[in-house]
């Protein structure tokens, strides 16, 4: 096999550029396996240089079924790469593995992909091939043995790959179409309304404190008497909690009603919203 043919073969095997492949063939004395190893090592150094850049674009990918659903975020630098075929096939396979490993990222990075290489090695190779920083972001698995999971994808890039994803877990023995339809609608509501917690008392204290500071600052310059300012502050804080807890939010499809009213109206005795997770690229 001539050197040119070897370079061609090496390019097909690694996806690296002509110049890099040509150098690797020369360096390895024409040994293809050695050349692949040389490129892999160089890929790592190339990849580490790229890791200092910002990766604010990317996708979220959902996998699983109604009893166990997972989502994983994969970031890159440009929207152009987020639509690249190699990137898409990597994130899809990664998403399936993530569901198998229950979003345990230490396990996931060591997991073996279809080509026999680990997730970490494939990630390094993809960075070297595409030429952008690519990182694995947040991930979440919701298991549900006493009900049903649902999900919603917004701004779909391809199939189960999107820019925003919502997972919702409902607790109920009822597996009817009514429940499934409510689960879908609730996922869409969460995508639009971005609740911070399920109930008002579950909103993180740091978030409450920050809002309280903003309200205090606003009222400090209003010139209102202290007693009135306290009442206004309390009212504003209650409104903030109500608007940011899922159960007390105005139902997107019928804003005069709250989410908890819609749950009641379904008249399914054991129906409860168990948990939810919303993730959007760039947030």
């Amino acid at each position: 096999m001539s050197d040119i043919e070897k370079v061609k073969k090496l390019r097909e095997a690694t996806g690296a550029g002509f110049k890099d492949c040509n150098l690797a063939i020369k360096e390895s004395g024409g040994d293809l396996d050695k050349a692949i190893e040389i490129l892999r090592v160089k890929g790592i150094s190339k990849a580490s240089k790229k890791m200092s850049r910002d990766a604010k674009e990317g996708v979220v990918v959902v996998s699983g079924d109604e009893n166990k659903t997972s989502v994983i975020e994969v970031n890159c630098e440009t929207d152009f790469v987020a639509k690249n075929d190699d990137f898409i096939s990597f994130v899809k396979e990664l998403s399936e593995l993530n569901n198998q490993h229950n979003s345990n990222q230490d396990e996931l990075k060591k997991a073996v992909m279809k080509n026999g290489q680990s997730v970490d090695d494939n990630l390094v190779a993809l960075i070297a091939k595409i030429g952008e920083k690519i990182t694995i972001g947040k991930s979440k698995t919701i298991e549900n043995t006493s009900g049903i999971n649902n999900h919603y994808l917004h701004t779909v890039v391809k199939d189960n790959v999107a820019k925003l994803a919502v997972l919702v877990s409902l607790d109920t023995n009822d597996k009817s179409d009514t429940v499934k339809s409510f689960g879908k609608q609730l996922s869409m509501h969460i995508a639009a309304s971005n609740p911070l917690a399920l109930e008002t008392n579950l909103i993180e204290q740091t978030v409450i404190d920050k809002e309280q500071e903003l309200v205090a600052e606003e009222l400090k310059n209003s010139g209102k008497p202290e007693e009135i300012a306290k009442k206004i502050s309390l009212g504003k804080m209650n409104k903030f909690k109500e608007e940011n807890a899922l159960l007390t939010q105005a139902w997107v499809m019928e804003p005069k009603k709250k989410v908890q009213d819609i749950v009641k109206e379904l008249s399914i005795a054991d129906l409860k919203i168990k948990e939810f997770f919303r993730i959007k690229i760039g947030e």
Side-chain angles (χ1 to χ4, degrees), residues 131-180:
E132 270 197 21
K133 177 180 179 177
I134 298 164
T135 54
I136 296 169
K138 295 179 197 139
S139 57
K140 173 84 172 170
T141 297
I142 295 179
E143 288 195 68
N144 190 345
T145 49
S146 58
I148 196 165
N149 282 350
N150 213 306
H151 72 272
Y152 170 67
L153 295 172
H154 191 68
T155 321
V156 174
V157 178
K158 190 179 182 181
D159 306 326
N160 58 331
V161 182
K163 294 288 182 182
L164 185 159
V166 174
L167 308 184
V168 161
S169 183
L170 299 174
D171 219 346
T172 177
N173 288 315
D174 190 324
K175 305 282 168 80
S176 65
D177 286 345
T178 306
V179 169
K180 287 179 183 175

Side-chain angles (χ1 to χ4, degrees), residues 94-113:
L94 182 74
S95 175
E96 294 299 330
L97 284 168
N98 180 54
N99 193 48
Q100 284 168 33
H101 289 278
N102 302 317
S103 292
N104 179 327
Q105 291 209 6
D106 291 332
E107 280 182 22
L108 180 64
K109 284 170 182 172
K110 292 178 204 142
V112 175
M113 298 186 88

